[in-house]
Amino acid sequence: METSTEALSYSLDALRVKALFYNKKAMVYVEGPEDINFWDPYFDRDVFEIESVNGCQNLQPYIEKLENGEKSFIVACDADYDTFKGKSTTSPLVVHTYGHSIENTMYCPHNLSEVVRKLSKSSTDTTTVIEDWYQKFTHSAHPLLLREITKLTYKPHADKPVVFGDTCANYCNTTAPCYELDDARIKKFCDDNERFYPNEELERVETEIQKDGRDERFLIKGHFLTDGVRRFINFLSKNAHPTGSKSNISSNELYALCVHCSNCRIKDCEENKYIIMLVTNAIIH
């Protein structure tokens, strides 16, 4: 039985008038509190009120209402692996990220280079260094990406091991440099769990990734990517600092520095243009 709070949250009548309480035209619902700041620059706050529903699973009823023809609000969410799971939304009022999650957009090399400048008190442009690290990181993570997607698409409800966790610690070098993935540890994980991932399924996913066309840094799970980025930015900031002062920012601090992409000097950003296109389309509907 629904509680009164749940009934209010999911009632169409309640949803249709909720924006009026804020004196706004419409509500925008996002997954969690951290998503509010990310989506904020894309919506005019004089017109829209952004609210967290505290979890991806709680957002699904809102998406279903939009898919059934409701037009009184907007949902802004992570794309996750829906493309690979054959899930697509038909409502233009469902706006999603270019990559797997907000982190994949926030932690672009140009944005991160500006973070390194601030942390290291240096004017050094580290964009190319970060791009090189990303290339190596994603190359090493590729076998894990195949298995993460396969886990979700092949017998998705079966009990399978975690692939991309919230950190990359299980796959990182146990000795320096701690920001690089250890190919031997990744191979051991793949070998130990071979029974869960048939070769024909891995080959199918490989083909789908190639057809997708996005750089693989956009496909790696956001929290996993964040941990790798944080490790590397701490290392890079220390090396770029004139006195070699140690930097040890947390994931929350990295988020705060990158969330609005305001550090980025690239105006013609593909991910940003993609989100603006979807938001604009949602607004006119």
Side-chain angles (χ1 to χ4, degrees):
M1 178 180 294
E2 286 187 322
T3 65
S4 58
T5 302
E6 289 169 337
L8 177 63
S9 298
Y10 298 146
S11 160
L12 273 179
D13 289 339
L15 290 173
R16 286 169 179 164
V17 300
K18 191 167 188 179
L20 298 177
F21 287 104
Y22 298 101
N23 197 28
K24 302 293 174 68
K25 177 181 177 181
M27 299 293 299
V28 178
Y29 294 102
V30 299
E31 295 177 28
E34 69 279 3
D35 296 285
I36 294 176
N37 280 331
F38 174 82
W39 290 104
D40 181 79
Y42 296 102
F43 293 94
D44 183 346
R45 292 304 293 272
D46 290 331
V47 179
F48 298 97
E49 182 70 21
I50 304 176
E51 183 177 287
S52 162
V53 299
N54 297 315
C56 179
Q57 70 282 359
N58 296 331
L59 202 57
Q60 195 55 41
Y62 295 84
I63 294 174
E64 289 173 0
K65 285 177 172 59
L66 294 179
E67 292 290 279
N68 289 328
E70 181 57 30
K71 295 182 178 181
S72 62
F73 57 87
I74 294 173
V75 164
C77 58
D78 290 344
D80 293 325
Y81 291 114
D82 285 356
T83 298
F84 298 99
K85 292 189 288 186
K87 292 175 61 178
S88 61
T89 55
T90 58
S91 172
L93 297 174
V94 179
V95 176
H96 56 79
T97 52
Y98 177 81
H100 176 277
S101 56
I102 63 173
E103 291 87 352
N104 301 76
T105 293
M106 287 161 47
Y107 303 138
C108 82
H110 303 284
N111 207 16
L112 292 175
S113 179
E114 294 304 313
V115 170
V116 172
R117 288 178 194 261
K118 291 181 178 181
L119 293 175
S120 64
K121 299 180 175 67
S122 165
S123 61
T124 304
D125 184 352
T126 55
T127 302
T128 301
V129 176
I130 295 168
E131 288 173 338
D132 290 343
W133 172 79
Y134 257 133
Q135 187 172 15
K136 186 172 184 179
F137 187 88
T138 56
H139 177 76
S140 292
H142 183 74
L144 299 175
L145 177 61
L146 290 177
R147 285 155 180 81
E148 177 73 13
I149 296 174
T150 300
K151 180 184 77 171
L152 298 171
T153 57
Y154 173 70
K155 297 182 179 179
H157 301 295
D159 186 19
K160 300 174 188 174
V162 173
V163 183
F164 285 147
D166 287 339
T167 78
C168 57
N170 288 340
Y171 306 111
C172 281
N173 287 328
T174 53
T175 56
C178 67
Y179 53 80
E180 290 185 353
L181 297 178
D182 187 332
D183 292 338
R185 296 184 76 182
I186 291 173
K187 183 178 185 304
K188 184 177 187 307
F189 171 85
C190 295
D191 290 345
D192 289 348
N193 297 286
E194 184 178 9
R195 66 189 184 280
F196 295 109
Y197 310 105
N199 284 334
E200 60 271 20
E201 288 298 318
L202 294 174
E203 290 171 2
R204 179 187 61 79
V205 171
E206 179 73 72
T207 300
E208 291 298 316
I209 289 174
Q210 297 305 316
K211 285 167 55 180
D212 181 86
R214 286 174 292 177
D215 189 291
E216 290 189 18
R217 81 169 178 86
F218 292 111
L219 304 182
I220 294 173
K221 183 181 175 184
H223 290 171
F224 183 92
L225 187 73
T226 297
D227 191 48
V229 167
R230 181 191 63 80
R231 291 166 181 262
F232 185 59
I233 294 306
N234 279 329
F235 162 80
L236 206 55
S237 300
K238 178 179 182 297
N239 277 16
H241 197 285
T243 63
S245 295
K246 186 176 181 181
S247 172
N248 190 27
I249 62 170
S250 66
S251 294
N252 285 338
E253 290 166 334
L254 182 64
Y255 163 89
L257 287 168
C258 294
V259 64
H260 285 165
C261 297
S262 55
N263 295 314
C264 186
R265 300 182 181 184
I266 301 301
K267 302 305 178 186
D268 195 31
C269 171
E270 184 178 2
E271 308 96 90
N272 192 44
K273 287 196 299 183
Y274 177 83
I275 293 174
I276 290 173
M277 177 188 71
L278 293 184
V279 170
T280 301
N281 192 38
I283 291 172
I284 65 177
H285 281 81

